[in-house]
Amino acid sequence: VQVRVGIHTGEVEIVGGRARGVAVHTAARVASLAAAGEVLVSGTVKDLTAGAGLSFEPRGTHVLKGVPGEWVLYRAIAS
């Protein structure tokens, strides 16, 4: 089974035991753009992991439905 993953970080609200908020919505939109077997991250995640030894490949600028602005996404590369 191949999965696709989208990672973003931000503030999350827990309502009725469920995570909600713009960060959750953004992560879901990032995941929807990932191909099978791919991990996509937002520029926010890439910036926050600087110096951690992780590798990323640019995947372009995207408009994420329901999320303001344009987002630069990156593919996480296995080291």
Side-chain angles (χ1 to χ4, degrees), residues 8-12 23 44:
H8 177 66
T9 186
E11 293 185 29
V12 174
T44 305

Side-chain angles (χ1 to χ4, degrees), residues 12-53:
V12 174
E13 299 174 60
I14 304 297
V15 178
R18 295 186 56 153
R20 300 178 71 171
V22 175
V24 175
H25 184 72
T26 302
R29 294 300 184 200
V30 172
S32 74
L33 295 172
E38 184 174 54
V39 176
L40 287 184
V41 305
S42 67
T44 305
V45 171
K46 180 184 175 289
D47 292 346
L48 288 173
T49 59

Side-chain angles (χ1 to χ4, degrees), residues 4-5 28-35 38 40 59 62-64 73:
R4 58 186 186 179
V5 176
R29 294 300 184 200
V30 172
S32 74
L33 295 172
E38 184 174 54
L40 287 184
R59 289 291 304 242
H62 300 267
V63 173
L64 306 177
L73 302 181

